């Protein structure tokens, strides 16, 4: 093994050194997995108890119910069953995915929580019908079921928010391979602090010339140095991203990392066409990845349209007072119309006018050319036009944009059948002309108010990556995925995951902007 310890810490930036120092006092067994599992168990038990207490109060108030066992005995029986919830939740994998997956969120747990609470409530009902111990009325069980699902979900969200503020949540990470793919993975991880990844550097014997957006990342050594780096820098996760090293050598290192209890992520070949809908089967022990045909049958389209109509009608009804207040604020803040109408490209290339609250001055379009030099994509990808701190944005408009409230009138487009709640990004014709070949399939679905592009980075995502995300959404569509994306949009609307302002845990300063790969 080559010598790399001497001077290795000189290659790391101060933020990484601070995190390494602060994590050194935390026992190795009490990192992300230990922290999150206990927080989620506490959230689940608190949610179940809160739902039970509310159901008990409802039963006493509305029904006058009194258990034959007495309230204390029934409560004791309920408490005695709580350990079985924890065991069942482990079987449902509700406690261990945060340690394995960087982007796991409460929205990803929603279907499992729904299913487990439903089964749990049914078992309580079956127990009450098959014995004389307890005999709760159906309405009490229904109230418990209806409250347990949202209560557990909200408390799980709070538990994860708490964990993400702890330095133990961070996972020191090394990327094997400093080529195009490795550097792309690094940029994406750096722009998502909510993933809790402290990217330390690369391992590569033949690194490629750096590209912008890589922070103060350096090449720490080659593949032979990796096991030593893992122990020296307290590495918990290693990402293999198309390293040029020998395959047998890589397999040997991966087996060694497994012995060191390191989470290993492997970027697969053809990753651009893989999606959550992949199916893994085996041919005599060799895993084979299967890609399902990307087709959306009529029943799926009807289900998606039904979800759109229900969401649009409910949203417009509940948000009507907010619409009035926002409209008044816009009129008082600056002259011009309340709504902004712009031509966008919809399904099959058909044009439609999108509804948005006006966030810019009335002459914004006329000033576009004079501000072209401020386009943050000008140097890298001029196909998209986005300006940070755009001088055309009004005071009220800045607040609306910060929370995406300017997008709410698009519910009218959803109601009219021009858009969907979730879907590809609605492009203007000027941007759409750059979409060609396989990427044009994105127009098989209606553009959405939110989507993968909204959840994973909004206007920070480059045009090419945005098109790939839209294609991936098309090829892996499901009702469950739409519900997850809508749930994951809420934290972004509320400003929970602001890219620029997100602090590192315990006020560790954010990563500096890029120098070079050495």
């Amino acid at each position: 093994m080559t010598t790399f310890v001497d001077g290795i810490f000189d290659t790391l930036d101060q933020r990484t050194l601070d995190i390494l120092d602060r994590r050194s006092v935390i026992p190795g067994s009490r990192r992300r997995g230990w922290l999150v599992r206990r927080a989620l168990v506490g959230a689940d038990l608190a949610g179940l108890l809160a739902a039970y207490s509310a159901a008990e109060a409802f039963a006493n108030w509305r029904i006058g119910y009194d258990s034959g066992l007495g309230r204390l005995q029934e409560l004791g029986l309920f408490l005695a069953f709580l350990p079985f919830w924890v065991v069942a939740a482990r079987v449902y994998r509700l406690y261990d995915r945060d340690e394995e997956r960087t982007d796991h969120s409460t929205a990803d747990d929603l279907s499992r929580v729904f299913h487990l609470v439903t089964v749990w409530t049914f078992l309580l009902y079956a127990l009450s019908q098959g014995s004389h111990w307890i005999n709760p009325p159906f309405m009490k069980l229904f109230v418990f079921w209806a409250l347990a699902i949202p209560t557990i979900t909200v408390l799980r969200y709070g538990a994860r928010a708490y964990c993400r503020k702890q330095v133990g949540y961070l996972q020191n990470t090394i990327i094997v391979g400093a080529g195009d793919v490795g550097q792309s993975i690094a940029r994406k991880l750096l722009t998502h602090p909510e993933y809790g990844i402290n990217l330390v550097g690369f391992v590569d014997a033949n690194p490629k010339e750096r590209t912008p957006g890589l922070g103060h990342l350096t090449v720490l050594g080659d593949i032979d140095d990796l096991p030593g780096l893992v122990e020296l820098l307290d590495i918990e996760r290693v990402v293999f991203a198309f390293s040029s090293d020998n395959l047998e050598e890589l397999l040997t290192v991966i087996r060694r990392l497994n012995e060191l209890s390191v989470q290993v992520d492997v970027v697969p070949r053809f990753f651009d066409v893989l999606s959550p809908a992949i199916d893994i089967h085996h041919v005599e022990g060799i895993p084979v990845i299967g890609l399902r045909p990307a087709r959306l049958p009529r029943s799926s389209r009807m289900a998606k349209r039904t979800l759109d109509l229900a969401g649009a009608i409910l949203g417009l009804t509940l948000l009507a007072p907010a619409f009035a207040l926002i409209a008044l604020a816009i009129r008082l803040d600056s002259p011009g119309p309340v709504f902004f109408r712009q031509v966008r490209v919809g399904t099959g290339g058909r044009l439609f006018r999108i509804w948005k609250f006006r966030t810019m001055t009335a002459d914004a379009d006329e000033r576009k050319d004079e501000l072209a030099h401020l386009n943050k994509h000008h140097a890298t990808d001029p196909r998209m036009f986005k300006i940070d701190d755009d001088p055309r944005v009004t005071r009220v408009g800045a607040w609306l944009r910060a929370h995406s409230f300017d997008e709410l009138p698009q519910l009218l487009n959803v109601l009219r059948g021009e858009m969907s709640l979730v879907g590809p990004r609605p492009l203007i014709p000027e941007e759409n002309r750059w979409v060609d070949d396989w990427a044009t399939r994105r127009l098989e679905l209606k553009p959405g108010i939110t989507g993968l592009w909204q959840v994973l980075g909004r206007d920070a995502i480059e045009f090419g990556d945005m098109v790939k995300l839209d294609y991936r959404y098309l090829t892996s569509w499901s009702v469950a995925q739409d519900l997850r994306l809508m749930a994951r949009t809420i934290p972004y609307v509320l400003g929970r995951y602001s890219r620029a302002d997100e602090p590192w845990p315990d006020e560790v300063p954010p990563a500096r902007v890029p120098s070079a790969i050495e």
Side-chain angles (χ1 to χ4, degrees):
M1 180 180 296
T2 60
T3 59
F4 59 90
V5 175
D6 295 338
I8 192 68
F9 289 101
D10 294 335
T11 67
L12 305 178
D13 68 339
Q14 189 58 47
R15 175 188 59 81
T16 301
L17 293 173
D18 288 343
I19 293 174
L20 291 175
D21 182 59
R22 299 179 69 177
R23 282 168 50 90
S24 65
V25 300
I26 303 176
S29 60
R30 299 191 176 186
R31 297 293 167 79
R32 179 186 292 195
W34 184 92
L35 178 68
V36 175
R37 279 193 295 271
R38 281 152 182 78
L40 292 179
V41 168
D44 286 355
L45 298 183
L48 290 171
L49 285 171
Y52 174 84
S53 301
E56 177 72 17
F58 173 83
N60 293 332
W61 171 52
R62 297 289 295 180
I63 306 174
Y65 163 73
D66 188 14
S67 170
L69 287 176
R71 294 179 182 176
L72 289 179
Q73 290 90 334
E74 186 175 296
L75 175 60
L77 190 61
F78 179 82
L79 294 176
F81 273 88
L82 289 181
F84 293 98
W85 167 276
V86 177
V87 174
R90 287 296 300 267
V91 173
Y92 274 69
R93 301 201 67 196
L94 283 170
Y95 296 139
D96 56 1
R97 296 174 71 85
D98 293 79
E99 188 174 22
E100 301 169 3
R101 296 177 52 180
T102 58
D103 63 342
H104 192 69
S105 69
T106 302
D108 297 315
D109 291 339
L110 189 56
S111 61
R112 288 183 172 87
V113 170
F114 176 87
H115 191 272
L116 183 54
V117 171
T118 302
V119 171
W120 181 263
T121 307
F122 174 79
L123 290 177
L124 289 176
Y125 178 74
L127 179 64
S128 69
Q129 295 298 306
S131 71
H132 299 290
W133 295 350
I134 56 175
N135 188 27
F138 176 80
M139 280 304 298
K140 180 179 179 180
L141 290 175
F142 177 80
V143 170
F144 170 78
W145 173 82
L147 292 178
I149 295 171
T151 303
I152 290 174
T153 300
V154 170
L155 290 178
R156 279 180 156 255
Y157 176 83
R160 283 193 170 96
Y162 166 79
C163 291
R164 288 189 176 107
K165 294 181 180 297
Q166 310 306 309
V167 72
Y169 183 82
L170 294 178
Q171 290 184 319
N172 291 334
T173 301
I174 284 178
I175 296 178
V176 179
D180 292 334
V181 176
Q183 294 186 37
S184 177
I185 292 288
R187 283 195 303 274
K188 294 178 186 297
L189 291 175
L190 289 173
T191 57
H192 285 275
E194 72 274 15
Y195 291 171
I197 297 297
N198 178 41
L199 200 52
V200 177
F202 295 91
V203 164
D204 199 330
N206 300 294
K208 196 169 184 179
E209 183 180 356
R210 80 163 178 90
T211 54
L214 293 176
H216 191 72
L217 296 179
T218 62
V219 172
L220 304 173
D222 57 33
I223 192 67
D224 292 331
D225 299 326
L226 186 55
L229 286 167
V230 166
E231 297 187 35
L232 178 67
L233 301 177
D234 190 23
I235 300 299
E236 291 185 72
R237 182 182 295 268
V238 175
V239 181
F240 285 80
F242 291 12
S243 171
S244 59
D245 293 284
N246 177 271
L247 178 60
E248 288 299 324
E249 189 175 10
L250 289 175
L251 291 175
T252 300
V253 171
I254 290 176
R255 295 185 180 106
R256 174 63 178 144
L257 295 178
N258 287 333
E259 296 174 5
L260 296 173
S261 299
V262 174
Q263 172 70 35
V264 174
D265 296 333
V266 179
V267 180
R269 298 286 178 180
F270 311 118
F271 64 91
D272 277 339
V273 295
L274 299 183
S275 72
I278 62 173
D279 179 38
I280 298 180
H281 51 281
H282 293 79
V283 178
E284 292 190 4
I286 299 177
V288 178
I289 297 176
L291 300 181
R292 304 174 190 171
R295 54 174 180 260
L296 211 59
R298 181 177 299 178
S299 59
S300 296
R301 294 183 182 275
M302 289 178 62
K304 186 171 177 61
R305 181 57 182 158
T306 300
L307 180 64
D308 288 341
L309 284 174
I313 293 172
L314 180 64
L316 289 171
T317 302
L318 296 178
L319 294 172
F323 274 43
L325 291 175
I326 292 173
L328 179 61
I330 292 173
R331 292 301 299 267
L332 294 176
D333 182 49
S334 64
V338 170
F339 295 104
F340 172 70
R341 304 290 309 280
Q342 188 180 45
V343 174
R344 299 294 177 100
V345 180
T347 310
R350 292 188 293 271
L351 302 180
F352 70 97
R353 286 190 174 272
I354 198 170
W355 286 83
K356 299 179 70 172
F357 282 121
R358 180 176 60 84
T359 60
M360 291 185 174
T361 56
D363 62 346
D365 278 339
E366 289 78 7
R367 298 176 58 190
K368 184 175 180 179
D369 290 339
E370 69 181 70
L371 299 174
H373 64 287
L374 298 178
N375 180 12
K376 68 179 183 179
H377 298 289
H378 178 73
T380 57
D381 194 348
R383 292 175 293 184
M384 296 188 72
F385 188 89
K386 298 293 179 183
I387 299 176
D388 291 330
D389 300 321
D390 196 319
R392 300 171 298 171
V393 176
T394 63
R395 289 175 300 175
V396 171
W399 181 80
L400 293 175
R401 286 185 167 208
H403 299 284
S404 297
F405 290 163
D406 58 317
E407 313 283 352
L408 293 178
Q410 292 171 32
L411 290 171
L412 294 170
N413 293 112
V414 175
L415 195 62
R416 290 162 56 95
E418 297 163 334
M419 292 183 65
S420 178
L421 295 176
V422 185
R425 187 169 188 160
L427 299 180
I428 61 175
E430 183 180 341
E431 294 171 339
N432 187 70
R433 66 187 179 89
W434 295 101
V435 180
D436 55 15
D437 200 21
W438 54 268
T440 57
R441 291 201 61 191
R442 66 189 301 278
L443 297 178
E444 292 180 15
L445 289 178
K446 297 173 185 176
I449 298 178
T450 188
L452 281 172
W453 50 273
Q454 171 84 323
V455 169
L456 298 180
R458 304 178 66 175
D459 59 2
I461 296 180
E462 294 183 358
F463 187 87
D465 289 338
M466 180 270 296
V467 170
K468 292 176 183 177
L469 288 175
D470 285 344
Y471 181 82
R472 180 166 299 178
Y473 171 78
L474 167 71
T475 57
S476 61
W477 180 87
S478 68
V479 172
Q481 180 181 220
D482 274 9
L483 293 174
R484 282 196 300 270
L485 287 173
M486 284 189 280
R488 292 185 66 179
T489 301
I490 295 174
Y492 293 87
V493 170
L494 298 178
R496 169 67 182 87
Y497 294 144
S498 171
R499 299 288 180 265
D501 302 328
E502 179 74 9
W504 283 85
D506 297 325
E507 298 182 352
V508 173
R512 295 202 299 262
V513 183
S515 68
I517 293 180
E518 297 178 358

